Amino acid sequence: MRRGRLRVYLGAAPGVGKTYAMLGEGRRARERGRDVVVGFVETHGRPRTAALLEGMETIPRKTLVYRGATFTELDVDAVIERAPTAALIDELAHTNVPGSKNVKRWQDIDEILDAGIDVISTVNIQHLESVNDVVQQITGIPQRETVPDEVVRRAHQVELVDMSPEALRRRMAHGNVYAPEKVSAAMSNYFRVGNLTALRELALLWVAGKVDDQLDRYRADHGIAVTWETRERVVVALTGGPEGDTLVRRAARIAARTKGADLLAVHVTSADGLAGGDPANLARQRTLVESMGATYHQVVGDDIPRALLDFARGVNATQLVLGASRRGRFAQIFSRGVGVETTALSGSIDVHMITHEEAKKGRRHHDRSRAALTSKRRLAGWAVATAGLPLLTAALLPFRDVISLPSEILLFLCLVVGVALIGGTWPAVTAAVGGSLLLNWFFTPPLATWTIADPENFLALVVFVLVAAAVSTIVDLAARRTREAARARADAEALSTLAGHVLRGEAALSSLLGRLRETFSLDSVTLLERTGEPTPDDRSQPEAWRIVATTGTTPCTSPGVADTDVRIDERLVLAARGGLLNASDRRVLEAFAAEAAVALRQERLQEEAEQARPLAEADRMRTALLAAVSHDLRTPLSAAKAAVESLRSHDVAWSARDREELLATAGESLVRLDRLVENLLDMSRLQAGVLGLSLQPVALEDVVPRAIDDLGSLRERVEGDVDIELPDVVADPALLERVLVNLMSNAVRHSPPGRNVLVTASTHGDDVEIRVIDRGPGIPREAHDRVFLPFQRLGDRDNGTGVGLGLALARGLTEAMGGTLEPEETPGGGLTMIVKLPVSSRAAPPRRAGPPNGIPA
């Protein structure tokens, strides 16, 4: 069976017309003869959207009961059983009610697609997992319903429903998105012009990335290797040389000339893994590349120009940045070089050759001693050559009338090969020349002269010298490559360990320095930071340096006292004690030093983030406060103002009953306003740690009835059941009353009609528990702690019931009095709030309360 195709309408914000566009497409498809049904569509009370549903077949929704409340969800089995050609299913990121077949609606849709049914759905950009944190940073509102990006990327078609922020706000002002009473709050909070502009850009960029993926697949499927300049992509080639920093910055400036251009850095390594750039330079340049928002890549290839161009064409690059050649003029006679060869083969890709300071210095030859044979083997080779030639000559002299010259040449060749295996090229070449002279003097007619009578003998001796030299060179090269491979393997293991220690563990810097000391058997390794401005003679001044991290015995107090030191940048130096390191080990040490700088930077960024977190939390709370209070203060103020202005009006003759109602409305509004202001002031005092407490023995049979009376018209829906025999608790009477009022009003608001809230109390050991029990929908267990966050209601769909301070303030006041406030599921459905306070033994002295847990100061 063919898997169904998914089509997604993506929007920047609610109200842009995603559902309207989906329904319009569904109607057009039905007119074309396709069998289209409505699986689930949420009209949000919008008449124009509802009008498009008329006449369309709708699959009945599935009814679920959760915590005493009734919900409707998509009936997946009914859609599959109906087997239409296409189904319209709204809100791709929706979270299903507990008890549904799947947790998320996108999982429902996946089942329907597996059944061969096409699906048309909708989603907003803020619900995509990859941009969820960015949206929260922009709007200040966390999005709890998310969908993995891959689900939307797999869609056969993603269509952006775009609308300018001004047009969307006009649509909202006309009442086409939300109910009139919610428009003002929405436009002053989430739907501000800046928020909508940022969300629109996120949506456009995400769709552009999706289009890029589709283009790459199309070019790959059709074998198109030619670059299509649909978007600027700049690739910079890095060799691992010191000029790489200059090339990266120059390429970044080239990319910055075009808005939205991509920058990629690539390094080509040899297929044998033996030749490559300086690891320290590459590590530093990779950090530089990533700090500029670019990406770093590494490819393998023996033909560097072709490898570079293959990579550039693979990413659809438009420009390639190379450094000017460091090769000398003599070398360029025999080979055109990477730059010239790449330019000749580049085709439609623009190639930039960038000059740099290293170009005039020429190519630096790396120290070859690390790959050459050891001095003992070279001495042994010279000894074998010096002693072997006379001995072999003496051994062959008695048999020169028996053994022919070609056989004698082969025996001397065996000796030369043996010398090459032991001592390398130069002892072997010397043995070849010496052997040819001995063969000429002792074994080639006329004997004891340098004259060669037979031209064939002359040719045989020349070939002997050439073969001996070639064989010795090949043997030496093989030995060199063997040592290179062993050394490269050791370096790779060290660098692999380095990378693993940076990625693992919380103390990455100290772990990294410890691993470095173990790898090179050093006495101590110290990371030093310059305390002031650089001076010519500060290398040996301990007061000019500060120890950032160290491991081992006596640390270095300045670079001047170290056996080996590596300069990382203007301020950081890695200093080591315990012996000098050779050039090859120093390259690995430089890589460790570069990663140590990265680890230090990460630790400091983490520390700064920890220091900024309380400030960010406080700022988030202040922002949420201003956004929420702008609505919640306006409602009681508007009601009170309208009632007072009506009483003052002389245009209407109010009856005594009407006046009583207006006065009651004004009074209730002012009481609500007073309670809100008291909550805000108490929350501010808690955060500042200046809330005054008067802890004393309190009788619950006195406090609970007063708290119920404070509920006003809601008191009829609360039942108190407090035993007068209960012991007194230690609390502040006024604050305990406030806590109970907040809990009871919250419980009444969420209880269904006809189900009263019950308040009970009982003794448990040295504590008394006060339980406020409701029969409402309750909350999921994983959200028990989240409901106590200030302004929690801001993230809900309904923002018209308060700023969400009640529960946060209740827990804060309870903890300030030395108690606890915890939620619990009510058996049979609902939520129970448990206030636990200590039993009174004597009056507690007055004190000031600091910020409770979970509320930043």
Side-chain angles (χ1 to χ4, degrees):
M1 180 183 296
R2 178 188 70 87
R3 178 178 166 85
R5 292 183 173 183
L6 175 63
R7 179 173 182 175
V8 177
Y9 284 96
L10 175 69
V16 296
K18 304 178 302 300
T19 305
Y20 192 88
M22 177 185 69
L23 290 172
E25 175 60 27
R27 295 184 74 91
R28 289 190 294 272
R30 194 180 64 166
E31 292 171 359
R32 293 193 297 267
R34 298 192 72 192
D35 183 11
V36 180
V37 300
V38 176
F40 190 101
V41 168
E42 187 64 64
T43 64
H44 300 287
R46 298 165 190 167
R48 296 185 179 181
T49 304
L52 288 179
L53 280 172
E54 295 179 1
M56 297 194 70
E57 179 184 350
T58 302
I59 301 295
R61 299 183 182 184
K62 190 174 184 178
T63 302
L64 297 169
V65 178
Y66 179 68
R67 298 186 184 277
T70 302
F71 302 89
T72 59
E73 293 287 358
L74 170 67
D75 193 335
V76 180
D77 295 331
V79 174
I80 295 176
E81 183 179 357
R82 169 63 176 76
T85 305
L88 310 182
I89 303 175
D90 210 0
E91 297 182 354
L92 181 64
H94 171 74
T95 301
N96 294 329
V97 174
S100 300
K101 188 176 184 180
N102 296 302
V103 177
K104 292 285 192 176
R105 181 162 293 165
W106 64 263
Q107 295 171 324
D108 295 339
I109 291 176
D110 213 40
E111 280 193 34
I112 295 172
L113 293 173
D114 286 338
I117 302 170
D118 294 343
V119 174
I120 306 177
S121 188
T122 65
V123 70
N124 279 326
I125 188 66
Q126 69 262 27
H127 296 301
L128 295 182
E129 189 67 52
S130 65
V131 298
N132 183 259
D133 56 338
V134 181
V135 172
Q136 180 175 352
Q137 182 182 5
I138 293 170
T139 64
I141 300 175
Q143 300 293 332
R144 297 179 183 86
E145 291 189 330
T146 60
V147 58
D149 287 47
E150 186 58 29
V151 173
V152 185
R153 289 192 180 278
R154 287 201 307 261
H156 180 70
Q157 185 175 347
V158 176
E159 185 170 333
L160 178 66
V161 182
D162 188 32
M163 177 175 286
S164 68
E166 294 77 12
L168 179 55
R169 285 169 61 86
R170 283 196 302 271
R171 177 178 288 184
M172 294 187 65
H174 294 158
N176 295 329
V177 179
Y178 291 139
E181 63 271 14
K182 295 184 178 181
V183 170
S184 179
M187 293 181 68
S188 61
N189 292 288
Y190 190 89
F191 289 86
R192 294 193 296 268
V193 173
N195 288 0
L196 295 177
T197 303
L199 293 173
R200 187 187 188 196
E201 183 175 10
L202 281 177
L204 290 168
L205 290 174
W206 196 94
V207 173
K210 166 73 174 175
V211 173
D212 259 351
D213 294 341
Q214 291 176 332
L215 178 61
D216 290 342
R217 284 198 300 269
Y218 178 85
R219 295 175 69 240
D221 293 343
H222 292 77
I224 301 173
V226 179
T227 300
W228 286 2
E229 298 184 15
T230 56
R231 183 174 182 176
E232 286 292 338
R233 283 187 177 84
V234 181
V235 173
V236 54
L238 301 177
T239 63
E243 75 280 358
D245 297 31
T246 302
L247 299 182
V248 170
R249 293 187 175 93
R250 187 72 177 89
R253 291 197 296 272
I254 293 174
R257 294 172 184 169
T258 304
K259 186 174 179 59
D262 294 332
L263 176 61
L264 303 90
V266 60
H267 171 66
V268 180
T269 60
S270 175
D272 57 16
L274 301 179
D278 189 325
N281 286 339
L282 287 174
R284 185 183 68 255
Q285 290 157 13
R286 178 172 187 166
T287 303
L288 176 62
V289 165
E290 293 173 348
S291 69
M292 293 180 173
T295 56
Y296 179 87
H297 306 267
Q298 191 160 321
V299 297
V300 177
D302 289 324
D303 190 337
I304 295 178
R306 294 189 181 278
L308 284 175
L309 291 172
D310 287 344
F311 174 81
R313 293 189 179 104
V315 299
N316 204 25
T318 57
Q319 302 185 63
L320 181 60
V321 177
L322 304 174
S325 177
R326 289 181 286 155
R327 299 164 70 249
R329 293 183 179 179
F330 182 76
Q332 294 179 15
I333 296 175
F334 299 96
S335 174
R336 295 195 298 177
V338 173
V340 177
E341 189 71 21
T342 304
T343 304
L345 300 174
S346 62
S348 60
I349 300 176
D350 298 335
V351 179
H352 302 264
M353 297 291 293
I354 308 299
T355 59
H356 49 85
E357 290 295 324
E358 301 298 324
K360 55 183 158 185
K361 298 179 182 179
R363 179 180 290 274
R364 297 179 182 178
H365 296 282
H366 297 294
D367 182 14
R368 297 174 64 87
S369 62
R370 74 183 185 100
L373 298 175
T374 62
S375 57
K376 290 182 179 180
R377 287 190 59 178
R378 290 197 299 272
L379 289 175
W382 286 110
V384 171
T386 304
L389 289 174
L391 290 175
L392 180 59
T393 302
L396 291 177
L397 279 176
F399 306 100
R400 61 183 176 184
D401 294 330
V402 179
I403 301 176
S404 65
L405 181 60
S407 299
E408 294 165 343
I409 291 176
L410 289 176
L411 292 174
F412 271 88
L413 183 60
C414 290
L415 176 63
V416 172
V417 171
V419 172
L421 289 172
I422 298 172
T425 301
W426 292 111
V429 171
T430 303
V433 174
S436 66
L437 295 176
L438 291 173
L439 284 169
N440 184 18
W441 185 268
F442 290 104
F443 301 102
T444 304
L447 302 178
T449 65
W450 299 114
T451 304
I452 300 176
D454 190 347
E456 290 186 3
N457 293 338
F458 175 77
L459 178 61
L461 291 175
V462 172
V463 171
F464 163 74
V465 173
L466 294 177
V467 170
V471 170
S472 62
T473 302
I474 292 172
V475 170
D476 181 71
L477 180 61
R480 189 185 303 277
R481 283 304 180 98
T482 301
R483 292 200 50 156
E484 281 183 352
R487 186 67 196 192
R489 180 177 179 179
D491 289 351
E493 290 178 353
L495 294 174
S496 175
T497 303
L498 159 68
H501 274 73
V502 172
L503 294 174
R504 293 191 305 269
E506 297 180 359
L509 182 57
S510 58
S511 175
L512 179 64
L513 296 183
R515 174 58 61 179
L516 176 59
R517 186 176 68 86
E518 295 172 4
T519 300
F520 295 106
S521 301
L522 299 171
D523 295 335
S524 69
V525 180
T526 306
L527 183 62
L528 299 171
E529 184 176 30
R530 184 180 273 113
T531 57
E533 294 298 322
T535 59
D537 54 350
D538 65 355
R539 283 183 51 82
S540 300
Q541 297 177 357
E543 62 274 10
W545 300 88
R546 180 177 69 88
I547 297 177
V548 176
T550 185
T551 183
T553 57
T554 307
C556 299
T557 56
S558 65
V561 300
D563 295 325
T564 303
D565 65 278
V566 175
R567 176 180 174 274
I568 302 174
D569 54 31
E570 290 293 335
R571 305 196 65 83
L572 293 175
V573 171
L574 187 68
R577 272 182 172 162
L580 295 173
L581 300 180
N582 58 37
S584 59
D585 289 337
R586 187 179 176 87
R587 294 180 65 194
V588 180
L589 183 66
E590 289 173 349
F592 270 88
E595 292 299 337
V598 173
L600 176 62
R601 189 179 301 112
Q602 290 175 343
E603 287 187 1
R604 289 181 172 175
L605 287 174
Q606 186 174 0
E607 291 174 0
E608 292 175 1
E610 291 294 332
Q611 294 173 0
R613 184 171 289 113
L615 297 176
E617 181 65 19
D619 183 66
R620 185 195 68 80
M621 291 179 62
R622 282 192 293 268
T623 302
L625 171 65
L626 292 174
V629 169
S630 64
H631 175 270
D632 289 276
L633 285 178
R634 185 184 299 114
T635 302
L637 280 175
S638 300
K641 180 181 178 182
V644 172
E645 288 181 349
S646 298
L647 289 172
R648 294 181 58 187
S649 174
H650 300 290
D651 298 334
V652 180
W654 302 105
S655 64
R657 182 177 180 181
D658 292 336
R659 286 181 175 274
E660 288 295 328
E661 290 182 358
L662 289 173
L663 288 173
T665 299
E668 290 176 1
S669 299
L670 292 176
V671 168
R672 179 181 173 188
L673 182 62
D674 180 64
R675 185 174 299 165
L676 173 62
V677 172
E678 285 183 359
N679 284 343
L680 293 173
L681 290 175
D682 284 344
M683 181 61 72
S684 300
R685 294 188 186 107
L686 275 173
Q687 291 177 350
V690 296
L691 180 66
L693 298 178
S694 177
L695 299 181
Q696 56 188 281
V698 176
L700 292 181
E701 66 266 24
D702 295 332
V703 174
V704 173
R706 287 202 305 268
I708 295 176
D709 289 339
D710 286 345
L711 293 175
S713 61
L714 299 179
R715 71 171 68 93
E716 303 297 331
R717 299 190 57 190
V718 179
E719 298 177 7
D721 184 13
V722 179
D723 191 347
I724 61 174
E725 300 297 329
L726 284 174
D728 293 348
V729 297
V730 178
D732 184 306
L735 295 184
L736 178 56
E737 186 177 330
R738 292 281 307 285
V739 169
L740 295 177
V741 168
N742 280 338
L743 294 179
M744 289 187 291
S745 61
N746 184 74
V748 170
R749 188 164 54 247
H750 292 92
S751 294
R755 304 297 295 273
N756 290 343
V757 173
L758 179 63
V759 181
T760 66
S762 58
T763 304
H764 292 268
D766 295 332
D767 298 314
V768 172
E769 290 185 354
I770 308 170
R771 294 174 174 263
V772 180
I773 306 168
D774 69 58
R775 295 292 179 177
I779 55 175
R781 184 177 297 275
E782 61 271 13
H784 278 184
D785 288 333
R786 198 165 64 237
V787 297
F788 292 104
L789 296 177
F791 319 113
Q792 173 61 25
R793 193 169 291 111
L794 281 177
D796 301 338
R797 293 185 176 185
D798 180 13
N799 193 36
T801 53
V803 295
L805 275 177
L807 293 180
L809 182 60
R811 171 175 273 190
L813 295 177
T814 304
E815 292 178 352
M817 293 186 292
T820 60
L821 173 59
E822 298 295 337
E824 183 181 274
E825 294 183 4
T826 302
L831 185 69
T832 298
M833 288 292 182
I834 305 173
V835 179
K836 182 184 291 187
L837 293 169
V839 173
S840 170
S841 58
R842 60 184 177 86
R847 66 185 179 92
R848 290 189 179 275
N853 295 333
I855 301 179

PDB file of all heavy atoms in Angstrom, residues 23 38 97 107 198 261 282 304 310 315 323 340 368 413 449 531 555 575 659 703 711 798:
ATOM      1  N   LEU A  23      -8.937  24.362   4.691  1.00  0.00           N
ATOM      2  CA  LEU A  23     -10.312  24.054   4.302  1.00  0.00           C
ATOM      3  C   LEU A  23     -10.564  24.443   2.845  1.00  0.00           C
ATOM      4  O   LEU A  23     -11.272  23.739   2.114  1.00  0.00           O
ATOM      5  CB  LEU A  23     -11.291  24.784   5.216  1.00  0.00           C
ATOM      6  CG  LEU A  23     -11.352  24.255   6.662  1.00  0.00           C
ATOM      7  CD1 LEU A  23     -12.206  25.176   7.524  1.00  0.00           C
ATOM      8  CD2 LEU A  23     -11.905  22.837   6.690  1.00  0.00           C
ATOM      9  N   VAL A  38     -13.290  15.707   6.753  1.00  0.00           N
ATOM     10  CA  VAL A  38     -12.728  16.512   7.829  1.00  0.00           C
ATOM     11  C   VAL A  38     -12.527  15.602   9.031  1.00  0.00           C
ATOM     12  O   VAL A  38     -13.495  15.094   9.610  1.00  0.00           O
ATOM     13  CB  VAL A  38     -13.659  17.685   8.189  1.00  0.00           C
ATOM     14  CG1 VAL A  38     -13.110  18.452   9.384  1.00  0.00           C
ATOM     15  CG2 VAL A  38     -13.830  18.605   7.000  1.00  0.00           C
ATOM     16  N   VAL A  97      -5.501  14.294  24.922  1.00  0.00           N
ATOM     17  CA  VAL A  97      -5.926  14.080  26.296  1.00  0.00           C
ATOM     18  C   VAL A  97      -5.414  12.716  26.771  1.00  0.00           C
ATOM     19  O   VAL A  97      -5.442  11.740  26.004  1.00  0.00           O
ATOM     20  CB  VAL A  97      -7.467  14.147  26.383  1.00  0.00           C
ATOM     21  CG1 VAL A  97      -7.937  13.778  27.792  1.00  0.00           C
ATOM     22  CG2 VAL A  97      -7.954  15.534  26.020  1.00  0.00           C
ATOM     23  N   GLN A 107       1.425  11.855  15.844  1.00  0.00           N
ATOM     24  CA  GLN A 107       1.506  10.397  15.830  1.00  0.00           C
ATOM     25  C   GLN A 107       0.210   9.790  15.283  1.00  0.00           C
ATOM     26  O   GLN A 107       0.241   8.771  14.584  1.00  0.00           O
ATOM     27  CB  GLN A 107       1.783   9.896  17.245  1.00  0.00           C
ATOM     28  CG  GLN A 107       3.146  10.335  17.779  1.00  0.00           C
ATOM     29  CD  GLN A 107       3.328  10.034  19.248  1.00  0.00           C
ATOM     30  OE1 GLN A 107       2.381  10.125  20.023  1.00  0.00           O
ATOM     31  NE2 GLN A 107       4.544   9.680  19.636  1.00  0.00           N
ATOM     32  N   ALA A 198       9.428  39.143  14.179  1.00  0.00           N
ATOM     33  CA  ALA A 198      10.442  38.118  14.449  1.00  0.00           C
ATOM     34  C   ALA A 198       9.911  36.724  14.118  1.00  0.00           C
ATOM     35  O   ALA A 198      10.623  35.899  13.520  1.00  0.00           O
ATOM     36  CB  ALA A 198      10.881  38.194  15.905  1.00  0.00           C
ATOM     37  N   ALA A 261      23.865  34.784   3.410  1.00  0.00           N
ATOM     38  CA  ALA A 261      24.855  33.899   2.802  1.00  0.00           C
ATOM     39  C   ALA A 261      25.418  32.932   3.843  1.00  0.00           C
ATOM     40  O   ALA A 261      25.530  33.262   5.025  1.00  0.00           O
ATOM     41  CB  ALA A 261      25.984  34.715   2.175  1.00  0.00           C
ATOM     42  N   LEU A 282      44.638  24.059  13.151  1.00  0.00           N
ATOM     43  CA  LEU A 282      43.295  23.647  12.738  1.00  0.00           C
ATOM     44  C   LEU A 282      42.296  23.767  13.884  1.00  0.00           C
ATOM     45  O   LEU A 282      41.152  24.190  13.680  1.00  0.00           O
ATOM     46  CB  LEU A 282      43.325  22.206  12.218  1.00  0.00           C
ATOM     47  CG  LEU A 282      43.974  22.014  10.839  1.00  0.00           C
ATOM     48  CD1 LEU A 282      44.076  20.532  10.505  1.00  0.00           C
ATOM     49  CD2 LEU A 282      43.181  22.737   9.758  1.00  0.00           C
ATOM     50  N   ILE A 304      43.889  17.358  -4.114  1.00  0.00           N
ATOM     51  CA  ILE A 304      43.292  18.438  -3.318  1.00  0.00           C
ATOM     52  C   ILE A 304      42.378  19.329  -4.156  1.00  0.00           C
ATOM     53  O   ILE A 304      41.262  19.643  -3.719  1.00  0.00           O
ATOM     54  CB  ILE A 304      44.396  19.251  -2.613  1.00  0.00           C
ATOM     55  CG1 ILE A 304      45.107  18.364  -1.592  1.00  0.00           C
ATOM     56  CG2 ILE A 304      43.818  20.487  -1.930  1.00  0.00           C
ATOM     57  CD1 ILE A 304      46.233  19.033  -0.864  1.00  0.00           C
ATOM     58  N   ASP A 310      34.791  19.159  -5.502  1.00  0.00           N
ATOM     59  CA  ASP A 310      33.700  18.207  -5.258  1.00  0.00           C
ATOM     60  C   ASP A 310      32.892  18.624  -4.037  1.00  0.00           C
ATOM     61  O   ASP A 310      31.657  18.565  -4.040  1.00  0.00           O
ATOM     62  CB  ASP A 310      34.265  16.799  -5.061  1.00  0.00           C
ATOM     63  CG  ASP A 310      34.771  16.188  -6.360  1.00  0.00           C
ATOM     64  OD1 ASP A 310      34.417  16.721  -7.440  1.00  0.00           O
ATOM     65  OD2 ASP A 310      35.534  15.196  -6.304  1.00  0.00           O
ATOM     66  N   VAL A 315      27.835  21.181  -1.871  1.00  0.00           N
ATOM     67  CA  VAL A 315      27.043  22.096  -1.031  1.00  0.00           C
ATOM     68  C   VAL A 315      26.470  23.245  -1.838  1.00  0.00           C
ATOM     69  O   VAL A 315      25.931  24.194  -1.275  1.00  0.00           O
ATOM     70  CB  VAL A 315      27.900  22.623   0.134  1.00  0.00           C
ATOM     71  CG1 VAL A 315      28.379  21.491   1.024  1.00  0.00           C
ATOM     72  CG2 VAL A 315      29.087  23.449  -0.371  1.00  0.00           C
ATOM     73  N   GLY A 323      44.109  30.477  -0.169  1.00  0.00           N
ATOM     74  CA  GLY A 323      45.273  31.295   0.134  1.00  0.00           C
ATOM     75  C   GLY A 323      46.277  31.237  -1.003  1.00  0.00           C
ATOM     76  O   GLY A 323      46.394  30.228  -1.711  1.00  0.00           O
ATOM     77  N   VAL A 340      46.134  27.392  -8.793  1.00  0.00           N
ATOM     78  CA  VAL A 340      46.001  27.471 -10.250  1.00  0.00           C
ATOM     79  C   VAL A 340      45.156  26.318 -10.779  1.00  0.00           C
ATOM     80  O   VAL A 340      44.278  26.497 -11.637  1.00  0.00           O
ATOM     81  CB  VAL A 340      47.395  27.487 -10.916  1.00  0.00           C
ATOM     82  CG1 VAL A 340      47.262  27.491 -12.433  1.00  0.00           C
ATOM     83  CG2 VAL A 340      48.196  28.681 -10.440  1.00  0.00           C
ATOM     84  N   ARG A 368      61.882  16.683   9.716  1.00  0.00           N
ATOM     85  CA  ARG A 368      61.791  15.318   9.215  1.00  0.00           C
ATOM     86  C   ARG A 368      62.464  14.319  10.154  1.00  0.00           C
ATOM     87  O   ARG A 368      62.428  13.126   9.907  1.00  0.00           O
ATOM     88  CB  ARG A 368      62.434  15.224   7.820  1.00  0.00           C
ATOM     89  CG  ARG A 368      61.718  16.076   6.789  1.00  0.00           C
ATOM     90  CD  ARG A 368      62.476  16.053   5.460  1.00  0.00           C
ATOM     91  NE  ARG A 368      62.525  14.733   4.871  1.00  0.00           N
ATOM     92  CZ  ARG A 368      61.596  14.220   4.073  1.00  0.00           C
ATOM     93  NH1 ARG A 368      60.515  14.923   3.815  1.00  0.00           N
ATOM     94  NH2 ARG A 368      61.721  13.027   3.569  1.00  0.00           N
ATOM     95  N   LEU A 413      74.649  -6.243  -4.912  1.00  0.00           N
ATOM     96  CA  LEU A 413      73.325  -5.608  -4.790  1.00  0.00           C
ATOM     97  C   LEU A 413      72.612  -6.077  -3.520  1.00  0.00           C
ATOM     98  O   LEU A 413      71.951  -5.277  -2.833  1.00  0.00           O
ATOM     99  CB  LEU A 413      72.474  -5.942  -6.025  1.00  0.00           C
ATOM    100  CG  LEU A 413      71.070  -5.285  -6.070  1.00  0.00           C
ATOM    101  CD1 LEU A 413      71.177  -3.775  -6.041  1.00  0.00           C
ATOM    102  CD2 LEU A 413      70.333  -5.753  -7.324  1.00  0.00           C
ATOM    103  N   THR A 449      92.560  -2.016 -12.977  1.00  0.00           N
ATOM    104  CA  THR A 449      92.545  -0.715 -13.673  1.00  0.00           C
ATOM    105  C   THR A 449      91.103  -0.195 -13.622  1.00  0.00           C
ATOM    106  O   THR A 449      90.147  -0.928 -13.367  1.00  0.00           O
ATOM    107  CB  THR A 449      92.971  -0.855 -15.136  1.00  0.00           C
ATOM    108  OG1 THR A 449      92.014  -1.641 -15.853  1.00  0.00           O
ATOM    109  CG2 THR A 449      94.349  -1.482 -15.252  1.00  0.00           C
ATOM    110  N   THR A 531      47.770  39.171  33.567  1.00  0.00           N
ATOM    111  CA  THR A 531      46.909  40.026  34.383  1.00  0.00           C
ATOM    112  C   THR A 531      46.802  41.446  33.867  1.00  0.00           C
ATOM    113  O   THR A 531      45.833  42.145  34.175  1.00  0.00           O
ATOM    114  CB  THR A 531      47.416  40.063  35.832  1.00  0.00           C
ATOM    115  OG1 THR A 531      48.785  40.521  35.831  1.00  0.00           O
ATOM    116  CG2 THR A 531      47.346  38.676  36.456  1.00  0.00           C
ATOM    117  N   PRO A 555      53.644  24.190  40.377  1.00  0.00           N
ATOM    118  CA  PRO A 555      53.170  24.829  39.147  1.00  0.00           C
ATOM    119  C   PRO A 555      54.114  25.922  38.668  1.00  0.00           C
ATOM    120  O   PRO A 555      54.903  26.480  39.449  1.00  0.00           O
ATOM    121  CB  PRO A 555      51.817  25.417  39.564  1.00  0.00           C
ATOM    122  CG  PRO A 555      51.966  25.685  41.019  1.00  0.00           C
ATOM    123  CD  PRO A 555      52.855  24.606  41.552  1.00  0.00           C
ATOM    124  N   ALA A 575      51.986  26.340  30.198  1.00  0.00           N
ATOM    125  CA  ALA A 575      53.369  26.122  30.637  1.00  0.00           C
ATOM    126  C   ALA A 575      53.491  24.735  31.237  1.00  0.00           C
ATOM    127  O   ALA A 575      52.629  24.299  32.010  1.00  0.00           O
ATOM    128  CB  ALA A 575      53.765  27.181  31.661  1.00  0.00           C
ATOM    129  N   ARG A 659     -29.459  51.117  41.950  1.00  0.00           N
ATOM    130  CA  ARG A 659     -28.336  51.747  42.635  1.00  0.00           C
ATOM    131  C   ARG A 659     -27.595  50.732  43.522  1.00  0.00           C
ATOM    132  O   ARG A 659     -26.359  50.720  43.583  1.00  0.00           O
ATOM    133  CB  ARG A 659     -28.832  52.919  43.481  1.00  0.00           C
ATOM    134  CG  ARG A 659     -29.215  54.142  42.661  1.00  0.00           C
ATOM    135  CD  ARG A 659     -29.680  55.276  43.560  1.00  0.00           C
ATOM    136  NE  ARG A 659     -29.920  56.461  42.774  1.00  0.00           N
ATOM    137  CZ  ARG A 659     -28.975  57.350  42.439  1.00  0.00           C
ATOM    138  NH1 ARG A 659     -27.727  57.139  42.845  1.00  0.00           N
ATOM    139  NH2 ARG A 659     -29.259  58.397  41.702  1.00  0.00           N
ATOM    140  N   VAL A 703      -9.481  30.630  62.283  1.00  0.00           N
ATOM    141  CA  VAL A 703      -8.955  31.153  61.019  1.00  0.00           C
ATOM    142  C   VAL A 703      -9.781  30.674  59.834  1.00  0.00           C
ATOM    143  O   VAL A 703     -10.109  31.457  58.927  1.00  0.00           O
ATOM    144  CB  VAL A 703      -7.477  30.748  60.846  1.00  0.00           C
ATOM    145  CG1 VAL A 703      -6.969  31.169  59.466  1.00  0.00           C
ATOM    146  CG2 VAL A 703      -6.633  31.371  61.932  1.00  0.00           C
ATOM    147  N   LEU A 711     -14.314  35.106  51.239  1.00  0.00           N
ATOM    148  CA  LEU A 711     -14.538  34.748  49.835  1.00  0.00           C
ATOM    149  C   LEU A 711     -15.708  35.506  49.221  1.00  0.00           C
ATOM    150  O   LEU A 711     -15.903  35.451  48.002  1.00  0.00           O
ATOM    151  CB  LEU A 711     -14.795  33.238  49.721  1.00  0.00           C
ATOM    152  CG  LEU A 711     -13.611  32.321  50.043  1.00  0.00           C
ATOM    153  CD1 LEU A 711     -14.046  30.869  49.996  1.00  0.00           C
ATOM    154  CD2 LEU A 711     -12.464  32.561  49.062  1.00  0.00           C
ATOM    155  N   ASP A 798      -6.297  30.613  28.227  1.00  0.00           N
ATOM    156  CA  ASP A 798      -7.219  31.599  28.786  1.00  0.00           C
ATOM    157  C   ASP A 798      -6.450  32.495  29.724  1.00  0.00           C
ATOM    158  O   ASP A 798      -5.973  32.074  30.760  1.00  0.00           O
ATOM    159  CB  ASP A 798      -8.353  30.890  29.541  1.00  0.00           C
ATOM    160  CG  ASP A 798      -9.341  31.887  30.149  1.00  0.00           C
ATOM    161  OD1 ASP A 798      -9.264  33.056  29.763  1.00  0.00           O
ATOM    162  OD2 ASP A 798     -10.152  31.472  30.984  1.00  0.00           O
TER     163      ASP A 798
END
